[in-house]
Amino acid sequence: MIFRGRLLHPVFGVLVFAGLLLLVGGFQALDAAAALAVKPTQQASPLHPDLFLLDEDGVNVLESGKPVSTMQTCGTCHDTEFIARHSGHSQAGLDTLAPAGETSTGRPWDSSEGIFGKWDPMVYRVLSESGGAELDLGTAGWIQTVGARHVGGGPAAVSRDGTPLKDLPVRADDPETSWLDPESGQVRAWDWDQSGVVEMNCFLCHIAEPDNATRIEALQQGAFGWANTATLLATGLVERRGDSYQWNASAFSPDGTVPAGQLGIQDPVNENCGACHGLVHDQGDDPIVAISCDPSVRRTVTTGQIIGPERLSDSGMNLVGKEDLIRPWDVHAERRVECTDCHYSLNNPVYFQEAESARPEHLTFDPRRLELGEYLVQPLHDLARGPSLTDAVTPEQAGSMRRCDSCHSVESTHDWLPYKDRHLAALSCETCHVPDMYSNAARQVDWTVLRPDSFARGTCRGTGTTVGGQPVITGFQPAWMPRQEPDGTAPLTPHNLVTTWFWVAGDPAQPVRLTELEAAWFEGDEYAPEVIAAMDVNGDGELAEEELQLDTPEKVELIASRLTAAGVEAPRILGEIQPYSIHHTIATDEWAIQDCQVCHGDQSRVTQSFELAAYVPPGAEAAFVGGSTAIASGEIVASADGGLVYQPDIGSQQLYILGHNRVEWVDWLGGMLFVGVLIGIVIHGGLRVLSAMRQRGAAHEPATEPVRMYGVYERLWHWLQTLTIVALLFTGLVIHRPDVFGMFSFRGVVLVHNILAAILVVNAGLSLFYHVTSGEIRQFIPRPVGFFDQAILQAKYYLKGIFHSEPHPFEKTPGKKLNPLQQVTYFGILNVLLPLMILTGILMWGAERWPQFSALIGGLTVLGPVHSGVAWMLAAFIVGHVYLTTTGPKPLSSLQGMMFGTEEVEKGHLETQGGEA
Amino acid sequence: MRRRYVWILGLAVTLALILIPIAILFPKADPPRDNPTAALPVRKPATDHQPLLPGPYASGEEVTRVCLDCHAEEADEVMQSVHWTWESKPYQIPGHDEPVTIGKKNSLNNFCIGIQSNWAGCTSCHAGYGWEDADFDFGDSEKVDCLVCHDNTGTYLKGDAGLPVEGVDLAYVAQSVSWPTRENCGSCHFAGGGGNAVKHGDLDQHLIYPTEDLDVHMGGQDMLCTDCHQTEDHQVRGRAISVSFDQENQALCTDCHSQAPHEDDRINTHLASVACQTCHVPAGGTGDPTKMTWDWSTAGQDRPEDEHEYLKIKGSFFYEGDFTPEYFWYNGISDRYILGDTFDPSQPLNMNPLAGDIDDPDARIFPFKVHRAKQPYDTVYNYLLQPKTFGEGGFWTEFDWDQALRLGSEAVGLPYSGEYGFAATEMYWPLTHTVAPAGQALLCADCHSPDGRLDWQALGYPGDPMEWGVRSPAAPGETAQVSP
């Protein structure tokens, strides 16, 4: 029963009328179609049939003149009820409603996880519960304010308990049927029959030129039923008449249908998404101009992300260094990857992938999927997404979006990166690939003050002034915070942090209603004289934006008392920090971070502080809002200029960054040991030189004979060991202190260090094999019997005898090359220090390959300082070792032995301890 | 080996054991993809001609006589080049029994149409002196004009019949001779079609002192014309489409740039189907606006005149600057309208049809300025006519088309029926100069978007190749540039 017949005319009249209509209407339709500036119909779906626009009763709108009903119109073919039910955009958290205070955010005034009930500091007004505090936003008020960014349906059509809004009995205490008049502050009933409800607005996303501005106007005026119709204004099918709309019959076909091409029905393109989500600027001749910092313009401002293929250098924004920024705002937008290519409908047969857990191992790809036609009838409007703010709304969809590595080959593009797996585990792709934001973004929203337009005072980050005082956009570097991923990891991800200051009242706390705030700040349309007197700093009788700041206890007290006078109970200031993660505006690889020292250095970006609030109202404290996927592991500290700063703490994430993190006392002790040994040998050697000079006349020249002491292999492995250890110590020092040794390529030094370590391990291993199989190892093992006596004897020689040119206590023979002190030292070096060094080194390298083993020991946080400490000890050993080689009969005797194999050894000793002579 | 020196061997072995693994495993920096400066010609320093040409000189020929004392061979070289002959070698082309030559000497275009009967006016751009009628002696080496290319004062100006104008100090000019600068080449090539920037769309006087934004080679790198149009024995490398059939000895981007110079492999895959110029010359008329249409049929009226809109002698035109080029498949070869060819006047006549299409592996999508004109043709014989515009009896003095066309037809030797009309013609002028810096090259969205520059169906694609796939790869053995 689609057509309800009109009045019957006489047959002749009908014929004439119909004929005229056909003639005139036909021509006019053609004219109208030609005159329309409906833009890209080549994008429009070529398959979509012409359609009737139906009202909520299923009648052609041309007949009834009523607003178009998307549920009825699109529902002719598509299962609109299914769509509206399976759409997070539409439901907006309706099915997560909970008593106030039990949501993941932890705010006592939040009642759901979605925008219907979760407080948005940029909007400020609170959705009231029934039976709760005084009414702020009822459902109607919510539609007028937050509803601008809501697609309709869900809470805009149905009450919290599922009853259609129009069927609700009107009750004074029911926020669903009450409305707070912002002008008068009075609460009155809301007549849903008169205003209509907002059905899910298919047109907003699915036509080429939706008129969002008029739609929002209709919502703000309370003409909810006309909002979806207003969206069609640019198609010429409907015209505006004052507060109402009239269908333009001449724009329809003679049979009452609308050609699908005229509506421009299409898959959503970036601009459709950008209507609410952020500044999307597709190819066009008009350059982008700066986004406003005005928090009432709620798009993009939370992160500064601009999605567009245009080059920054071609934009209309006053960016610092713009000429060199020849990169696009977003490389995916430039390469024509659309929003819906990543945020696809979850049952779209093209993109659908079954979960890894559900797929049997032997199957790499399951081709069985929904037919295209079936999909078109029942497309899920739950869209794929990563973990995000909406996690609590639809937790089952967290991580349903494909990640960067679903499309990009990380392997082939990152083989230049040492410890690649470790980097990829600790950092999200965005950390290095969105290192800088070039636009401005919100920094602080201050609702403790009011601008003349009854909105908060917003402060931006990323703006500045030139030397000449011109405003410029400097952009900013996002904060890196760990972000909880569905797979349990928490890699660092870039975020923008927005601080909000606002008044709360009562217990449980609730943000002070806007009407009460207005009562405190204004008298009539102007600021109250008392307020001006207190806030006017430069005495010009007006309050400029910079003067709107509660920066003294007196100002806070003034506003608090005025709030109390307006009926607010116990007003106080709260601060809230909301993280917004950044995933877009990626550019090509030359814009990514490739310099190791950005993180691996003293000024590491990983621990770089991030500006929070620009100022702190006296007595207020700011805390991170709950329920966010960002893990606020750092600290909020006061900054020198009176604001707040976020200081990351990476220890809580078990992040130990080579070249940045170090245990100071290990370095101090090791350094002191090294220097101590150095001083010791200088003293000892100096004394020896002095005593040699004193004894010049009566010098005791010991008789020596050449002895073949060291074979070829022994010398080879010794010198190989020497060079590799010295090089390892040096490269290790560069890695430990990259800022001091900035001339070296960090990446190259790490690689050389690892190669040398491998050579060392092989050399040591082969040498161990040699020593064991040849029996030489016996020389290194101290004999317990008489050990201490002999050790003391040797020690006495070094401390006294050597200065008197006494003979060595023990003869050095090929069968016994080491005195007890040497044996004990090498025992420690070769069995404790060197293995510790090798083990910690392998596990540090293994943090990349076998992270679980490294984690067992305590991860890099333990391994790193141990490795460094032992390195200091080895370095000190080398100094001592080299010096002690000079204690032979002549200073160079031992060195010659190790170089040439034959050594001059003293003849005729006091004692020969065991072994072969 | 003596024991004493075995330690040297030991040291060598030890160092080798350390350095060889490092050398093998250390990551190598990628070699640069593109090194164009290596291909720039090295110019020998120019000889100072001041003591050699004391002057004074009363005529251009007098200067040439002095040049010939040392450069007689070079004069011969010039006389064998197309700058002198204004005529190509003979080609056998379809539709003609005999081989034909083309060149400014005998071809028609849709700007000033042709030089025959108008020699004295047109030959001010001839590299010679005195070509004022059909009987010019192309064998007289004293008529070679050395100064037009080699003057380095910027004061040399040629007038009718290529003779230096009054007031030019020929001795001063002659003493300055050196390698040709952009101003030398540009004195003629920027002024084609009757004025600055009229004809080509990518050549105008801004290129004498260009900014880097205008042309990255001539501006950013201060390159001369001859750095790309390298000249050996006065044979200038390069091919102009209006006077050439083929690409023999053409100046190419790949003369200096590598085959796959982009870091981004996705861009390199475009090289199989898209010419360098398409992305790197994003607009025509970027220096000065260029003439896009020329309607001769409105000439002769007494209307307000404006150099860029209407002149009584020429008709009405439309100039455009920073225009979006039109894109067609082009493999370097083109056909040409020859004097006397008949055509169907109900359709616009394409005077230089481009060869190449989507199935030709040598063809690339190339940017063009399309010049559309209305010019006189014989309505009985259906061929284009050569009008006499310059000189006695010419249209520019008499404003009588019939007389002009009769005189012109006599000069070229074509019958004229007495009945003339104005036919729509078009010519394709490839854009290859005014290369923008890389930061201003086209982006993906410039073509691959609903309002992109390319009409995919017109090019033969079913749709956007980003979605439909690229055309088939080049046949084996072809020189198509496929990315590595």
Side-chain angles (χ1 to χ4, degrees):
Chain A
M1 277 298 293
I2 294 183
F3 278 106
R4 291 190 191 153
R6 290 208 162 202
L7 301 173
L8 289 171
H9 291 274
V11 171
F12 179 71
V14 166
L15 285 176
V16 168
F17 182 75
L20 281 174
L21 200 63
L22 275 170
L23 270 174
V24 173
F27 285 139
Q28 278 204 359
L30 286 172
D31 275 353
L36 286 175
V38 176
K39 213 178 35 161
T41 51
Q42 61 229 72
Q43 269 170 272
S45 164
L47 266 184
H48 201 285
D50 298 344
L51 55 138
F52 293 107
L53 291 183
L54 306 177
D55 65 17
E56 60 184 344
D57 304 310
V59 176
N60 191 328
V61 296
L62 284 175
E63 282 196 30
S64 64
K66 287 168 81 168
V68 63
S69 159
T70 47
M71 294 290 110
Q72 290 283 347
T73 306
C74 312
T76 312
C77 301
H78 304 279
D79 188 344
T80 46
E81 199 257 333
F82 175 91
I83 292 170
R85 204 164 12 102
H86 291 94
S87 168
H89 280 76
S90 185
Q91 295 303 313
L94 190 58
D95 39 3
T96 65
L97 280 173
E102 291 183 18
T103 61
S104 64
T105 56
R107 297 188 191 114
W109 57 92
D110 274 353
S111 49
S112 92
E113 306 286 357
I115 57 172
F116 185 71
K118 184 160 135 181
W119 190 64
D120 181 353
M122 303 269 181
V123 176
Y124 186 68
R125 297 185 59 192
V126 177
L127 183 70
S128 304
E129 272 193 321
S130 56
E134 282 184 294
L135 183 70
D136 190 353
L137 281 183
T139 303
W142 183 88
I143 297 176
Q144 283 181 314
T145 52
V146 183
R149 295 180 75 242
H150 177 242
V151 301
V158 145
S159 79
R160 293 164 216 215
D161 58 8
T163 322
L165 287 172
K166 288 194 174 175
D167 298 340
L168 282 180
V170 176
R171 289 205 323 263
D173 62 344
D174 185 0
E176 306 243 58
T177 56
S178 314
W179 179 68
L180 175 66
D181 184 349
E183 299 289 318
S184 65
Q186 301 299 318
V187 175
R188 64 170 183 75
W190 186 268
D191 184 356
W192 288 106
D193 283 314
Q194 196 204 11
S195 71
V197 298
V198 190
E199 293 178 341
M200 190 172 179
N201 189 347
C202 313
F203 305 132
L204 195 55
C205 301
H206 283 285
I207 68 174
E209 283 202 321
D211 188 338
N212 198 27
T214 316
R215 167 189 160 262
I216 293 176
E217 245 187 83
L219 290 174
Q220 286 170 342
Q221 284 162 1
F224 301 151
W226 286 107
N228 292 5
T229 307
T231 319
L232 296 176
L233 215 58
T235 62
L237 293 166
V238 67
E239 279 161 9
R240 199 167 176 189
R241 302 252 184 252
D243 277 342
S244 184
Y245 299 84
Q246 187 161 357
W247 293 102
N248 181 9
S250 58
F252 287 66
S253 300
D255 60 355
T257 60
V258 179
Q262 186 167 343
L263 267 181
I265 296 174
Q266 61 182 32
D267 278 342
V269 295
N270 285 8
E271 267 112 351
N272 294 107
C273 311
C276 300
H277 283 285
L279 180 53
V280 164
H281 187 93
D282 214 335
Q283 189 67 9
D285 291 326
D286 49 323
I288 294 179
V289 292
I291 53 172
S292 172
C293 269
D294 189 331
S296 67
V297 180
R298 197 225 192 293
R299 277 175 22 168
T300 280
V301 71
T302 52
T303 55
Q305 292 175 111
I306 296 177
I307 312 261
E310 183 186 78
R311 291 193 171 98
L312 270 72
S313 50
D314 289 334
S315 74
M317 291 168 69
N318 200 12
L319 307 169
V320 169
K322 189 168 148 185
E323 276 165 13
D324 299 323
L325 295 174
I326 54 173
R327 51 155 283 181
W329 286 102
D330 183 287
V331 73
H332 291 100
E334 201 242 317
R335 301 280 160 127
R336 315 305 300 167
V337 177
E338 303 256 308
C339 304
T340 48
D341 289 327
C342 294
H343 299 278
Y344 49 89
S345 160
L346 281 172
N347 69 340
N348 185 325
V350 173
Y351 295 102
F352 170 76
Q353 280 175 332
E354 60 176 333
E356 290 279 324
S357 48
R359 185 157 42 85
E361 253 191 64
H362 66 273
L363 213 59
T364 49
F365 174 72
D366 187 342
R368 301 170 297 182
R369 44 198 60 232
L370 209 57
E371 286 298 316
L372 209 51
E374 291 174 315
Y375 165 68
L376 285 174
V377 171
Q378 289 187 318
L380 283 177
H381 276 56
D382 285 320
L383 305 178
R385 61 176 181 85
S388 71
L389 287 174
T390 49
D391 248 10
V393 186
T394 47
E396 68 279 6
Q397 288 163 26
S400 53
M401 191 173 78
R402 299 178 297 190
R403 280 292 295 160
C404 315
D405 48 357
S406 310
C407 295
H408 290 278
S409 162
V410 179
E411 289 300 317
S412 70
T413 47
H414 289 79
D415 51 9
W416 55 271
L417 183 63
Y419 294 85
K420 170 175 64 183
D421 293 332
R422 182 90 193 98
H423 283 90
L424 295 177
L427 306 169
S428 66
C429 308
E430 295 90 324
T431 308
C432 294
H433 284 277
V434 191
D436 298 288
M437 303 301 294
Y438 291 96
S439 177
N440 49 325
R443 179 179 174 188
Q444 179 181 280
V445 178
D446 190 358
W447 280 102
T448 60
V449 301
L450 276 187
R451 294 193 317 218
D453 62 355
S454 284
F455 220 84
R457 179 185 167 198
T459 315
C460 250
R461 67 175 79 252
T463 53
T465 47
T466 61
V467 171
Q470 297 300 317
V472 280
I473 297 174
T474 58
F476 65 98
Q477 288 187 333
W480 292 352
M481 296 176 69
R483 182 175 184 242
Q484 196 65 51
E485 297 277 333
D487 60 2
T489 59
L492 293 183
T493 308
H495 289 80
N496 181 32
L497 304 177
V498 180
T499 312
T500 312
W501 300 112
F502 54 103
W503 289 97
V504 292
D507 181 24
Q510 176 110 353
V512 168
R513 297 187 304 164
L514 191 59
T515 43
E516 281 135 10
L517 261 185
E518 286 171 334
W521 279 87
F522 300 119
E523 258 173 35
D525 284 330
E526 307 283 328
Y527 285 110
E530 196 185 16
V531 166
I532 297 182
M535 310 283 297
D536 188 7
V537 170
N538 63 0
D540 62 354
E542 309 221 330
L543 291 185
E545 188 132 334
E546 303 78 55
E547 292 170 321
L548 290 173
Q549 192 169 321
L550 300 182
D551 48 9
T552 64
E554 292 77 37
K555 292 182 187 171
V556 173
E557 191 42 51
L558 169 69
I559 303 297
S561 61
R562 286 183 66 91
L563 282 171
T564 312
V568 172
E569 185 194 319
R572 55 221 183 266
I573 299 181
L574 275 190
E576 197 181 80
I577 303 170
Q578 174 81 58
Y580 294 92
S581 58
I582 293 171
H583 305 283
H584 306 90
T585 64
I586 292 171
T588 43
D589 48 7
E590 62 261 25
W591 296 91
I593 295 178
Q594 289 177 326
D595 180 10
C596 307
Q597 292 193 23
V598 167
C599 298
H600 293 274
D602 279 328
Q603 303 295 321
S604 172
R605 260 194 75 171
V606 180
T607 49
Q608 185 175 284
S609 60
F610 186 78
E611 287 181 337
L612 291 174
Y615 52 84
V616 182
E621 276 184 15
F624 276 89
V625 74
S628 168
T629 48
I631 300 171
S633 53
E635 281 179 8
I636 304 168
V637 292
S639 71
D641 58 359
L644 291 178
V645 147
Y646 174 71
Q647 183 60 47
D649 169 26
I650 55 173
S652 59
Q653 299 304 118
Q654 276 87 48
L655 278 182
Y656 182 96
I657 299 172
L658 298 174
H660 172 71
N661 291 79
R662 63 185 70 95
V663 180
E664 293 286 345
W665 63 261
V666 167
D667 279 347
W668 274 109
L669 271 185
M672 287 199 312
L673 179 66
F674 184 85
V675 169
V677 168
L678 205 60
I679 292 174
I681 66 167
V682 166
I683 293 174
H684 196 270
L687 284 176
R688 276 172 60 199
V689 166
L690 280 175
S691 60
M693 279 171 18
R694 246 188 282 123
Q695 290 171 29
R696 197 137 8 141
H700 163 81
E701 284 285 342
T704 62
E705 59 178 355
V707 176
R708 179 120 178 95
M709 194 65 68
Y710 299 107
V712 169
Y713 177 69
E714 275 187 288
R715 287 179 269 148
L716 177 69
W717 92 258
H718 172 268
W719 288 115
L720 188 57
Q721 196 84 332
T722 308
L723 286 182
T724 48
I725 288 185
V726 169
L728 279 168
L729 284 170
F730 178 70
T731 51
L733 191 59
V734 173
I735 294 171
H736 194 64
R737 287 273 182 182
D739 298 310
V740 175
F741 298 94
M743 70 210 82
F744 295 102
S745 148
F746 190 80
R747 186 184 320 153
V749 168
V750 166
L751 210 61
V752 169
H753 190 86
N754 290 351
I755 296 172
L756 288 168
I759 296 173
L760 176 86
V761 168
V762 169
N763 189 35
L766 286 175
S767 161
L768 178 64
F769 175 76
Y770 160 75
H771 281 84
V772 168
T773 50
S774 68
E776 285 287 307
I777 194 140
R778 261 175 276 149
Q779 299 210 23
F780 287 83
I781 301 172
R783 286 287 158 84
V785 179
F787 171 78
F788 281 106
D789 293 328
Q790 293 171 355
I792 289 169
L793 209 62
Q794 185 70 34
K796 276 193 184 163
Y797 170 76
Y798 283 135
L799 293 173
K800 201 162 79 80
I802 193 171
F803 301 112
H804 303 305
S805 301
E806 280 171 21
H808 286 76
F810 303 103
E811 179 184 346
K812 183 175 181 181
T813 64
K816 190 170 178 326
K817 297 172 198 156
L818 305 176
N819 66 51
L821 289 182
Q822 280 177 304
Q823 284 177 333
V824 121
T825 309
Y826 287 127
F827 194 85
I829 294 281
L830 294 170
N831 295 305
V832 179
L833 289 194
L834 210 56
L836 250 186
M837 207 60 182
I838 293 175
L839 205 62
T840 52
I842 289 181
L843 285 176
M844 284 167 84
W845 180 72
E848 150 91 349
R849 258 151 236 286
W850 323 291
Q852 53 274 29
F853 288 118
S854 313
L856 272 177
I857 314 283
L860 280 174
T861 325
V862 169
L863 292 169
V866 171
H867 198 79
S868 304
V870 175
W872 282 113
M873 289 194 246
L874 281 173
F877 160 76
I878 287 184
V879 171
H881 170 72
V882 170
Y883 171 70
L884 285 171
T885 61
T886 64
T887 58
K890 290 209 172 96
L892 292 179
S893 306
S894 298
L895 183 63
Q896 285 173 339
M898 188 50 86
M899 279 173 71
F900 307 118
T902 303
E903 188 173 336
E904 295 285 333
V905 174
E906 275 177 10
K907 283 206 310 213
H909 282 260
L910 299 173
E911 290 179 39
T912 314
Q913 173 65 33
E916 306 80 46
Chain B
M1 178 176 298
R2 299 188 50 167
R3 278 256 190 101
R4 282 266 131 191
Y5 299 110
V6 75
W7 71 271
I8 298 177
L9 177 65
L11 182 64
V13 170
T14 311
L15 283 175
L17 284 171
I18 291 179
L19 293 174
I20 289 178
I22 291 180
I24 293 174
L25 295 171
F26 203 82
K28 320 238 177 322
D30 290 319
R33 288 249 195 175
D34 192 26
N35 187 14
T37 43
L40 278 179
V42 177
R43 272 170 245 137
K44 303 191 288 276
T47 307
D48 181 8
H49 279 69
Q50 199 180 5
L52 304 170
L53 292 156
Y57 303 108
S59 70
E61 286 95 323
E62 213 179 304
V63 178
T64 303
R65 272 194 285 273
V66 181
C67 306
L68 287 177
D69 283 343
C70 301
H71 298 291
E73 210 175 279
E74 281 78 355
D76 287 334
E77 289 168 1
V78 170
M79 292 196 298
Q80 286 169 39
S81 77
V82 290
H83 277 86
W84 171 258
T85 63
W86 278 23
E87 195 174 19
S88 71
K89 69 175 196 222
Y91 286 95
Q92 185 67 48
I93 56 171
H96 293 261
D97 298 324
E98 301 291 322
V100 297
T101 64
I102 55 170
K104 286 200 77 60
K105 186 176 185 190
N106 59 6
S107 298
L108 297 185
N109 62 31
N110 67 355
F111 283 89
C112 287
I113 304 178
I115 75 165
Q116 294 181 78
S117 77
N118 304 309
W119 295 278
C122 303
T123 55
S124 57
C125 265
H126 180 234
Y129 299 116
W131 185 3
E132 58 184 2
D133 55 29
D135 302 319
F136 181 68
D137 182 2
F138 284 93
D140 184 355
S141 57
E142 286 182 7
K143 295 261 188 298
V144 170
D145 180 352
C146 312
L147 299 175
V148 65
C149 296
H150 290 285
D151 159 54
N152 264 245
T153 62
T155 63
Y156 182 69
L157 199 59
K158 285 160 69 81
D160 291 349
L163 302 169
V165 303
E166 284 293 316
V168 171
D169 181 349
L170 289 171
Y172 175 56
V173 167
Q175 287 163 10
S176 75
V177 291
S178 178
W179 303 107
T181 65
R182 293 190 295 270
E183 200 167 349
N184 291 108
C185 311
S187 65
C188 289
H189 288 285
F190 296 160
N196 175 42
V198 168
K199 193 183 249 177
H200 292 267
D202 64 347
L203 288 175
D204 65 70
Q205 282 170 0
H206 278 87
L207 290 175
I208 299 177
Y209 296 111
T211 60
E212 188 183 358
D213 276 351
L214 178 62
D215 186 292
V216 73
H217 298 104
M218 295 184 259
Q221 301 292 321
D222 198 24
M223 282 167 68
L224 302 180
C225 312
T226 48
D227 289 330
C228 293
H229 296 276
Q230 294 186 14
T231 305
E232 196 73 40
D233 297 339
H234 286 88
Q235 291 293 333
V236 182
R237 194 168 163 78
R239 272 301 196 243
I241 193 174
S242 62
V243 292
S244 316
F245 284 115
D246 60 20
Q247 291 281 288
E248 209 181 294
N249 202 28
Q250 175 63 292
L252 304 169
C253 310
T254 47
D255 287 343
C256 299
H257 290 278
S258 90
Q259 292 273 346
H262 307 96
E263 290 292 333
D264 187 321
D265 277 336
R266 174 66 79 189
I267 301 181
N268 283 332
T269 57
H270 283 69
L271 301 179
S273 297
V274 180
C276 311
Q277 290 87 340
T278 303
C279 296
H280 288 286
V281 186
T286 47
D288 285 310
T290 183
K291 189 177 279 189
M292 302 300 288
T293 65
W294 187 337
D295 188 351
W296 280 98
S297 68
T298 57
Q301 296 169 20
D302 286 307
R303 278 160 56 171
E305 289 198 318
D306 180 308
E307 197 176 287
H308 294 105
E309 287 182 21
Y310 180 80
L311 288 174
K312 186 173 177 185
I313 55 170
K314 293 190 174 178
S316 43
F317 8 86
F318 172 66
Y319 277 76
E320 197 175 359
D322 281 316
F323 65 90
T324 305
E326 297 178 43
Y327 298 93
F328 305 97
W329 288 106
Y330 179 48
N331 63 9
I333 316 262
S334 56
D335 206 346
R336 191 67 166 81
Y337 178 85
I338 307 293
L339 255 179
D341 285 351
T342 57
F343 67 98
D344 173 8
S346 66
Q347 303 294 322
L349 168 65
N350 185 343
M351 294 181 72
N352 59 342
L354 308 170
D357 60 20
I358 192 172
D359 298 312
D360 180 350
D362 284 332
R364 303 282 184 276
I365 297 172
F366 207 101
F368 289 91
K369 164 191 164 179
V370 180
H371 182 246
R372 296 177 169 87
K374 279 217 176 107
Q375 63 195 94
Y377 80 105
D378 192 312
T379 50
V380 171
Y381 295 121
N382 283 330
Y383 48 59
L384 291 178
L385 292 169
Q386 166 76 62
K388 182 173 174 63
T389 47
F390 178 89
E392 202 178 309
F395 184 79
W396 288 351
T397 39
E398 306 294 326
F399 300 104
D400 180 347
W401 275 118
D402 185 59
Q403 180 184 11
L405 293 170
R406 189 165 34 81
L407 289 173
S409 303
E410 276 167 24
V412 302
L414 268 186
Y416 169 52
S417 71
E419 289 173 40
Y420 67 92
F422 289 89
T425 60
E426 34 184 57
M427 277 192 86
Y428 292 78
W429 298 85
L431 297 174
T432 190
H433 304 93
T434 61
V435 175
Q440 285 169 28
L442 290 186
L443 294 172
C444 312
D446 287 308
C447 297
H448 294 281
S449 68
D451 43 6
R453 294 172 173 228
L454 297 183
D455 182 344
W456 301 112
Q457 273 86 15
L459 287 168
Y461 290 101
D464 188 332
M466 190 176 72
E467 289 155 356
W468 283 87
V470 298
R471 63 174 186 156
S472 323
E478 295 297 339
T479 53
Q481 295 164 339
V482 181
S483 71

